[in-house]
Structure formats: structure tokens, C-alpha cells
Amino acid sequence: MKQDLRVKKTKKAIRHALLRLVDKKTFARISVSDICDEAEINRGTFYLHYTDKFDLLEKIQQELLDHLWMIVTTRMTEKINVLTEKPDTLKIFATELFHYLDQEADLFYMLLVNTVDPSFHNRLKGLIQKNMERLSHPAEEPVSFHVDYVMAYVTSAIVGMLQHWLANGRKIPPEEMALLVVKINLNGPMKMMSGE
Amino acid sequence: MKQDLRVKKTKKAIRHALLRLVDKKTFARISVSDICDEAEINRGTFYLHYTDKFDLLEKIQQELLDHLWMIVTTRMTEKINVLTEKPDTLKIFATELFHYLDQEADLFYMLLVNTVDPSFHNRLKGLIQKNMERLSHPAEEPVSFHVDYVMAYVTSAIVGMLQHWLANGRKIPPEEMALLVVKINLNGPMKMMSGE
DNA sequence: GATTATAATCAACACAGTGTTCATTAAGCA
DNA sequence: TGCTTAATGAACACTGTGTTGATTATAATC
């Protein structure tokens, strides 16, 4: 499953070119030609690897989401109610997640902060939700009336905080961010606004 | 300030054409030619009113945001802490908002659910935040450490619920939605998940 | 280190869509 | 009704697309 060195090199060049371009103009205004000029590769080479610029973006996204899901499923093994009883475990896990986000911050910034593709937000929310469902007990009977709305609320809120974190230069360290996310979800936002 | 009937007619045709097209393919894949074919107008006519398809989208967005802001500023006059003490007033106001969203649901659906432009989410969150800041007392001293993150949390969460509402055919009536948004923000999502 | 496989390049292609023009036709306005 | 201006249709040069076939360059394999 190893890749030819040349392939690795051009794919890397293409990604970095895209990252640079996305700072200058909207993804919608970026052409395949732009990307190839910036990456200093032949345009034909681009089409050897991707069908178009959307395909390129799609593959970047899928890779990030796959990695996130891998972290989540291999490291977050206990059920959700056990986790809320053991906030330390939860915090350790959340920290690990934020470290990955920090590591791939350039790409996440492009996808979540720059005006690139709205669907990534939704896919990320989907991942969070899938994970919450995976961790909740199946026999979690009565539940509130509009669970789906609460889900939409929580997942969007988390992605929103992530976006804010990335947009503001990730000044808060991963550990603190993780704690903040956990706390605000447990207490609710209003309680956070007034007192500590 | 009246518009020529012909102008009104073509602008309407263009909007409806866009709404129809957006159901079939991504905005990125829709061309000005597509829109004109669908609207049954000459392509030159399109350029009489908009510089390109992005300009068209931008004008639709601005109009909706302006209207939202108008509702918010003219109807929501009391300060936020007064409002939380009078949940009825808050509910009446939120209901009015949701009625407007319901009325223009096609456009909001396009902008928030269909894969069109990620920036609208942010602009909407910006509007919500601007309004919250407008309503909060200036001397609201100590406040929690990371107010900005709580803001990002709340605004994203609200837009997320909106998105879900639109995506699911707006089955919940505006009144109930308004109540749900208010309640979940006051109690926090976790309390909503377990019991009522 | 020579051989082999294949990635990258280059030039060329037809094609789709853009944004603008100008003369002509049609529709709203007063 | 006549005046004004919006909409049309055809043409324009131009940018970018996606694909091709032949050629060169560079990893991988022996």
C-alpha cells in the first residue's frame, strides 16, 4: 500500500498550493489552473489524481473525518453515562481530540473558517452525533420530547466553538478547550454567562 | 422608489429558477446560463441586474438579514435580563421571528440546508450575537472567563436548531420552536436530554 | 547500476461558460 | 399616444475545462 515518492510529492504540493490560495480568494473563485500554477505542476498531472477541484476537497475532508473517527472509536470506549460520572476520563479524551485538531489546524481552518464548503460543517456534526449515539445506552428509555433538536443544538454548538477556536489563532491550549467544551455542555450556556 | 414591473418580474423569475436548480445540483455547479435557461430569460438580462451568480446570492442574503434585523430591533426592545424574567415576552418575540423564517422558508432552506454558501451561517450567527450584545447591559461586569466562546456556542447552537427545523420540513410550529430554543438555552442541553 | 515501470510534462484539442457589445424589439409609464 | 427603458438576440474575445498522445524524467526492482 505504499505510494510512489513522486505521487506523494505532487499531492503534497497540490494541498499546500490550495491552502495558500484559499487565504487569498474564495474556493469558488479558485481554478484548477490556479492550483497548478501555485503548485508548479502541470495541469495534466492534477487530473491524474483528482477529477476536479471538488474531488480534491472531498478527499482532504474524508481523510480528516476518517482520522477523527479513528481516534474517537479507539480511544473513547466507555459509555456516555459512565463518562459523565468520570469527568477526568472525558477530559483526557477531549484533550486528545483537540490535539489532533491542533496538529491539522491548517486544513481544519480552511474547511471550517475559510469560505470553502458548507457541507464539512454538517459532516463534522454528523460524526459527533454518530459518536454520541454510539456511546449512549440503547435502553436509555424515556428521553425528552425533541431529542433530535437537542442533538442539533449540541453538535452545532461544539462545531461553533471549534470554529471560534481556529479563527482566533487557537490561543487557548487543547486541555483548557476540552474542559471548556465539557463544562459548557454540562452547565448550559446561560449559567456560564452569569457566574463561573 | 417603485420598480418597473418588468424588472420585478425578471428578478422574481431568476430567484425562482435558482431555488429550483439548487434542489438538483450544487450551487458551485450551477452556471449563469443554467439560471437563465431555467428562468426563460436572456442571459444579457441577468447581467443587467447582477454581476454574477455570487452577486445574486449576496443580494438575496442581504435582504433576508436586513429584514431579520428589522424585526429584531423594532420588536425586541427590552434588555435581556428583563426578558429572562419575563419569559412570556421572550416567547412572543421568538415566535414572531420563527414566523418570518417560516414565511421565507424556501430561501432559508436554500441558504442553510442546501450546500450553497457557508458564509451565510456566519452572518446569521453574527446577527444573533450583535443582538445579544445590544440587549445586554453595558455594566454587566464580571462575566465568565471566555464569553466569546459561550457566544460562539450559543449562536451556533441556535442556527443548528434552525437548520434542523428547516431540513425536517418545519413540522414543529413556530410557537413550540420558539419555546424550545428558549428552554434549551436556559436549562442547558444535558438537562434536556435526561428528564424534561 | 542497469532495466523496467510509470509519473510528470508539454502541446494541442474541442468545448462550455463568461462578461460585454450593439442594434432591435417589446413592454410599462405618464 | 408617444416616450422611456427593459428585454432580446447575435456576436465577440477570453478563460478555464477535461482529454489526448507523444516524450521526458524519475522511482522502484532486479
Side-chain angles (χ1 to χ4, degrees):
Chain A
M1 256 286 122
K2 278 199 76 177
Q3 282 229 75
D4 193 308
L5 276 191
R6 289 168 293 182
V7 175
K8 268 175 88 174
K9 205 179 121 196
T10 52
K11 282 192 176 176
K12 202 173 187 177
I14 288 173
R15 282 192 184 207
H16 281 92
L18 180 61
L19 279 171
R20 262 172 276 136
L21 286 171
V22 143
D23 266 349
K24 293 182 218 147
K25 44 178 161 173
T26 305
F27 183 74
R29 306 268 191 196
I30 295 172
S31 65
V32 173
S33 300
D34 288 339
I35 298 171
C36 296
D37 286 353
E38 181 73 29
E40 294 185 286
I41 60 156
N42 192 274
R43 197 161 57 85
T45 310
F46 181 93
Y47 290 109
L48 241 44
H49 301 292
Y50 308 102
T51 64
D52 53 31
K53 63 171 178 169
F54 305 107
D55 185 43
L56 164 61
L57 204 61
E58 161 61 29
K59 279 176 178 153
I60 294 174
Q61 295 185 21
Q62 196 55 57
E63 220 171 89
L64 293 175
L65 290 168
D66 284 349
H67 196 120
L68 275 178
W69 186 247
M70 193 266 289
I71 296 182
V72 156
T73 48
T74 59
R75 307 282 300 139
M76 201 172 187
T77 49
E78 306 197 60
K79 289 290 178 191
I80 195 83
N81 58 344
V82 182
L83 284 172
T84 44
E85 282 160 19
K86 291 199 247 170
D88 272 1
T89 324
L90 192 57
K91 198 191 131 193
I92 290 168
F93 162 73
T95 303
E96 189 165 343
L97 252 183
F98 271 98
H99 269 121
Y100 175 63
L101 297 170
D102 193 48
Q103 180 188 314
E104 298 290 356
D106 283 350
L107 292 174
F108 281 108
Y109 186 94
M110 170 175 80
L111 294 169
L112 287 177
V113 181
N114 279 333
T115 228
V116 168
D117 175 17
S119 76
F120 189 67
H121 289 76
N122 295 332
R123 295 171 74 177
L124 200 53
K125 286 191 265 177
L127 188 147
I128 297 172
Q129 176 161 348
K130 208 167 75 175
N131 191 47
M132 290 180 78
E133 284 165 355
R134 186 178 67 87
L135 293 174
S136 68
H137 277 290
E140 190 102 47
E141 325 98 72
V143 189
S144 122
F145 191 28
H146 297 300
V147 215
D148 52 334
Y149 279 90
V150 180
M151 270 294 188
Y153 180 96
V154 174
T155 55
S156 291
I158 293 176
V159 173
M161 287 184 78
L162 222 63
Q163 240 184 311
H164 187 71
W165 184 61
L166 291 163
N168 285 48
R170 316 193 299 289
K171 280 173 201 147
I172 299 182
E175 288 75 13
E176 198 180 337
M177 266 306 282
L179 190 63
L180 191 58
V181 171
V182 172
K183 263 173 69 179
I184 195 170
N185 273 309
L186 291 177
N187 297 340
M190 287 315 174
K191 215 159 280 171
M192 300 290 282
M193 286 295 268
S194 38
E196 131 84 10
Chain B
M1 256 284 120
K2 277 200 77 177
Q3 282 229 74
D4 193 308
L5 276 192
R6 289 169 292 181
V7 176
K8 270 174 86 174
K9 205 178 123 196
T10 52
K11 284 193 175 175
K12 200 173 189 178
I14 288 173
R15 285 192 182 207
H16 281 91
L18 180 62
L19 280 171
R20 262 173 275 135
L21 287 171
V22 144
D23 267 348
K24 292 183 218 148
K25 43 178 161 174
T26 306
F27 183 73
R29 306 267 189 196
I30 295 172
S31 66
V32 173
S33 299
D34 287 339
I35 298 171
C36 296
D37 286 353
E38 181 73 30
E40 295 185 285
I41 60 155
N42 192 275
R43 198 162 57 85
T45 310
F46 180 94
Y47 290 108
L48 242 44
H49 301 293
Y50 308 102
T51 64
D52 53 31
K53 64 171 179 170
F54 304 107
D55 185 44
L56 164 62
L57 204 59
E58 161 61 29
K59 281 178 175 151
I60 294 174
Q61 294 185 22
Q62 197 55 57
E63 219 171 90
L64 293 175
L65 290 168
D66 284 349
H67 196 120
L68 275 178
W69 186 247
M70 192 267 288
I71 296 182
V72 155
T73 48
T74 58
R75 306 283 299 141
M76 201 171 187
T77 49
E78 306 196 59
K79 289 289 177 191
I80 195 84
N81 59 344
V82 183
L83 284 172
T84 44
E85 283 160 18
K86 290 200 245 169
D88 272 2
T89 324
L90 192 57
K91 199 191 132 191
I92 288 167
F93 162 73
T95 303
E96 189 165 342
L97 253 183
F98 271 97
H99 268 122
Y100 175 62
L101 297 171
D102 193 49
Q103 182 187 312
E104 298 289 354
D106 284 350
L107 293 174
F108 281 108
Y109 186 95
M110 171 174 79
L111 294 170
L112 288 177
V113 181
N114 279 333
T115 228
V116 168
D117 175 18
S119 77
F120 189 68
H121 289 76
N122 295 331
R123 295 172 74 178
L124 200 53
K125 287 192 265 177
L127 187 146
I128 297 172
Q129 175 160 348
K130 208 166 76 176
N131 190 49
M132 290 179 79
E133 285 166 354
R134 188 178 65 89
L135 292 174
S136 69
H137 277 289
E140 189 103 46
E141 324 99 70
V143 188
S144 122
F145 191 29
H146 298 299
V147 215
D148 52 335
Y149 279 90
V150 180
M151 270 294 188
Y153 180 96
V154 175
T155 55
S156 291
I158 293 175
V159 173
M161 287 183 78
L162 221 63
Q163 239 184 312
H164 187 71
W165 184 59
L166 291 162
N168 285 48
R170 317 195 296 291
K171 281 173 198 146
I172 299 183
E175 287 76 13
E176 199 180 336
M177 267 305 284
L179 189 63
L180 191 59
V181 171
V182 172
K183 264 174 69 179
I184 194 170
N185 273 310
L186 291 177
N187 298 338
M190 287 315 175
K191 213 159 282 173
M192 300 291 281
M193 288 293 271
S194 39
E196 132 84 10

